[in-house]
């Protein structure tokens, strides 16, 4: 009797223990599921941005903010793009009108938002989703058969009221010359006046392009970092000017070609010659950089080499370059050149159904060239 009772008790106790175990397991599972559900959407942990050292391959005596174009700068004209491809110039239409009427559709976002991916660094999945071709609202349009040159200025805006960018803007306004600025996003955050300079440049009719945010080598970055570098700068520029850039110049011309379609901007390098060859205008630490000699040297380098269709790379962060550029413009004007923004130069030979490709790297555009022109649809 008492033994049976004992057994019963033992049984009851065991059952109770089992029940408790099952209950606690169930509770554990439920709360684990709950946690996971909470963690899933949107909580992708911030990708740690690998702060690569500024990959300046430039000689060590160059200050760190020296433009990166330098080392890689020798433009590599593609075989078919070398000297003068001379198809007959297109017959000039009597009334020059913009070849690119803006599409009726709302302006598509020029850059694709990267879909968050679980892994950050693999480049295997940038793939598919090419961004739609950007709509290019031509800033200016003149006679495409003119002898034309596009001056481009990188790494700014820089300086204050008497600084180099402001001096350039004043000089361009006096001459009624339009150029293209490739803006380094970070500069806009270093001083409020830099934003004013950008607005001034935009209002003066210059074309504003993107030169990334931090001016690092895009080829050494993950796709997420590349998108961030480009989009951040596009966002700031758009806030200030109201217009989202379409043209991009990668620092040093180093761009991840596997990402071009997805980024969806027009890539512009420079060419076919590089100012001063080994003595680029960026060399502000050059022994002669602040002397008249160096300025003269730059003026001569530009004037002696410039041809119709060239894209000339200079830096508005350096006063010597700014002065040299303005002087060179005066001489080139005498020689019959017209100064255009990059959009006009690159679209000079396009018909109204054509536009620029997001997967071609533009270096210069002679009369009659059709390289890099694609159908709009
Ligand atoms: Zn640069």
């Amino acid at each position: 009797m008492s033994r049976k009772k004992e057994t019963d008790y033992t049984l009851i106790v065991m059952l109770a223990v089992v029940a408790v175990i099952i209950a606690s397991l169930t509770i554990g599972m439920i709360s684990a599921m709950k946690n996971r559900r909470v963690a899933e959407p949107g909580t992708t942990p911030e990708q740690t941005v690998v702060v690569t050292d500024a990959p300046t391959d430039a000689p060590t005596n160059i200050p760190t903010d020296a433009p990166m174009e330098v080392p890689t700068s020798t433009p590599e004209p593609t075989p078919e793009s070398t000297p003068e491809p001379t198809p007959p110039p297109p017959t000039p239409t009597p009334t020059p009108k913009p070849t690119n009427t803006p599409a009726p559709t709302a302006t598509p976002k020029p850059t694709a938002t990267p879909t968050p991916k679980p892994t950050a660094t693999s480049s295997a999945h940038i793939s598919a989703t090419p961004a739609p071709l950007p709509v290019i609202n031509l800033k200016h349009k003149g006679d495409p058969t003119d002898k034309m040159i596009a001056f481009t200025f990188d790494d700014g805006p820089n300086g204050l009221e008497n600084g180099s960018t402001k001096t350039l803007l004043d000089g361009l306004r006096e001459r009624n010359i339009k150029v293209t600025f490739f803006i380094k996003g970070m500069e806009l955050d270093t001083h409020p006046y830099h934003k004013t300079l950008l607005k001034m440049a935009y209002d003066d009719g210059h074309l504003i392009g993107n030169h990334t945010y931090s001016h690092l080598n895009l080829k050494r970055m993950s796709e997420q970092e590349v998108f961030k570098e480009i989009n951040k700068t596009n966002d700031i520029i758009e806030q200030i000017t109201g217009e989202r850039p379409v043209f991009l110049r990668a620092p040093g011309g180093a761009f991840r070609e596997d990402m071009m379609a997805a980024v969806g901007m027009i890539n512009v390098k420079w060419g076919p010659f590089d100012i001063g060859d080994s003595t680029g205008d960026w060399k502000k630490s050059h022994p002669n950089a602040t002397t008249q000699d160096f300025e003269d040297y730059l003026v001569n380098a530009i004037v002696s080499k410039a041809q119709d269709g060239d894209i000339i790379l200079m830096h508005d962060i350096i006063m010597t370059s700014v002065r040299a550029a303005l002087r060179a413009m005066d001489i080139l004007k005498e020689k019959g050149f017209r100064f255009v923004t990059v959009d006009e130069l690159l679209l000079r030979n396009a018909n109204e159904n054509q536009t620029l490709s997001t997967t071609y790297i533009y270096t210069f555009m002679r009369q009659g060239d059709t390289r890099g022109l694609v159908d709009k649809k």
Side-chain angles (χ1 to χ4, degrees):
M1 178 87 164
S2 72
R3 195 185 251 201
K4 182 152 191 276
K5 209 173 187 182
E6 210 172 276
T7 322
D8 284 351
Y9 277 133
T10 317
L11 206 67
I12 288 166
V13 168
M14 277 172 67
L15 281 174
V17 168
V18 169
V20 166
I21 290 173
I22 289 172
S24 63
L25 278 177
T26 314
I27 289 168
M29 275 169 64
I30 288 171
S31 75
M33 280 169 68
K34 243 190 202 164
N35 285 343
R36 194 191 302 165
R37 225 175 298 137
V38 171
E40 265 164 14
T43 7
T44 349
E46 269 289 303
Q47 297 297 348
T48 12
V49 175
V50 185
V51 187
T52 36
D53 273 332
T56 9
D57 313 309
T60 40
N61 63 337
I62 308 297
T64 41
D65 57 340
M68 251 188 40
E69 276 76 8
V70 194
T72 38
S73 65
T74 343
E76 293 164 37
T78 42
E80 77 274 8
S81 69
T82 356
E84 294 276 335
T86 35
T91 37
T93 38
T95 33
K97 57 180 176 183
T99 45
N100 273 10
T101 32
T105 45
T107 351
K109 290 229 161 147
T111 50
T113 12
T115 34
K117 304 269 169 63
T119 49
T121 40
S122 155
S123 62
H125 46 64
I126 310 155
S127 70
T129 57
L133 283 176
V135 173
I136 302 169
N137 296 310
L138 265 182
K139 272 253 171 200
H140 310 278
K141 180 72 180 172
D143 188 339
T145 64
D146 282 350
K147 225 161 80 169
M148 53 175 85
I149 274 195
F151 271 86
T152 62
F153 293 89
D154 289 10
D155 297 1
N158 194 263
L160 303 179
E161 283 82 350
N162 298 314
S164 50
T165 300
K166 179 64 164 49
T167 304
L168 177 63
L169 288 173
D170 291 346
L172 295 171
R173 205 177 302 120
E174 277 167 27
R175 293 164 174 81
N176 192 26
I177 287 175
K178 310 299 178 200
V179 301
T180 304
F181 287 94
F182 286 99
I183 302 292
K184 177 177 157 192
M186 194 183 268
E187 286 299 328
L188 300 169
D189 287 335
T190 57
H191 196 286
Y193 190 69
H194 293 176
K195 292 190 169 117
T196 306
L197 287 168
L198 170 60
K199 184 72 168 60
M200 217 180 271
Y202 179 82
D203 289 345
D204 280 356
H206 303 297
L207 179 66
I208 307 299
N210 182 324
H211 196 41
T212 74
Y213 187 80
S214 326
H215 205 272
L216 300 176
N217 187 331
L218 296 182
K219 279 194 169 168
R220 300 183 192 178
M221 291 183 173
S222 73
E223 69 197 69
Q224 290 206 338
E225 291 161 355
V226 170
F227 277 118
K228 198 171 164 185
E229 278 288 318
I230 293 170
N231 285 335
K232 197 171 173 187
T233 298
N234 275 348
D235 289 345
I236 307 174
I237 292 175
E238 191 177 12
Q239 277 167 23
I240 297 169
T241 67
E243 191 174 334
R244 201 165 179 85
V246 165
F247 293 87
L248 171 72
R249 176 173 281 156
F255 199 73
R256 279 185 53 169
E257 295 189 16
D258 59 337
M259 291 193 62
M260 288 170 77
V263 166
M265 296 186 76
I266 311 293
N267 276 269
V268 183
K269 280 181 79 172
W270 54 92
F273 71 91
D274 182 22
I275 299 298
D277 301 323
S278 58
T279 320
D281 80 301
W282 50 272
K283 276 199 174 178
K284 55 182 166 183
S285 67
H286 184 282
N288 295 327
T290 56
T291 69
Q292 193 64 29
D293 285 352
F294 190 66
E295 193 182 309
D296 290 347
Y297 172 84
L298 291 176
V299 172
N300 186 53
I302 300 167
V303 169
S304 62
K305 291 176 184 171
Q307 290 183 55
D308 166 58
D310 286 350
I311 297 175
I312 295 181
L313 163 67
M314 298 198 79
H315 295 88
D316 58 305
I317 58 172
I318 309 165
M319 193 60 99
T320 316
S321 307
V322 165
R323 290 204 197 96
L326 292 170
R327 282 175 55 199
M329 287 168 181
D330 291 338
I331 301 169
L332 291 171
K333 192 182 175 196
E334 290 299 310
K335 293 183 168 211
F337 282 95
R338 185 163 69 84
F339 306 101
V340 296
T341 44
V342 158
D343 52 350
E344 179 177 351
L345 178 73
L346 296 181
L347 283 166
R348 70 191 297 189
N349 304 315
N351 66 39
E352 55 194 25
N353 299 315
Q354 292 176 314
T355 187
L356 301 173
S357 166
T358 55
T359 54
Y360 185 86
I361 295 177
Y362 296 88
T363 49
F364 58 91
M365 189 66 76
R366 307 274 186 244
Q367 267 188 49
D369 276 0
T370 52
R371 293 166 301 126
L373 295 180
V374 292
D375 288 339
K376 278 182 182 168
K377 187 67 187 117

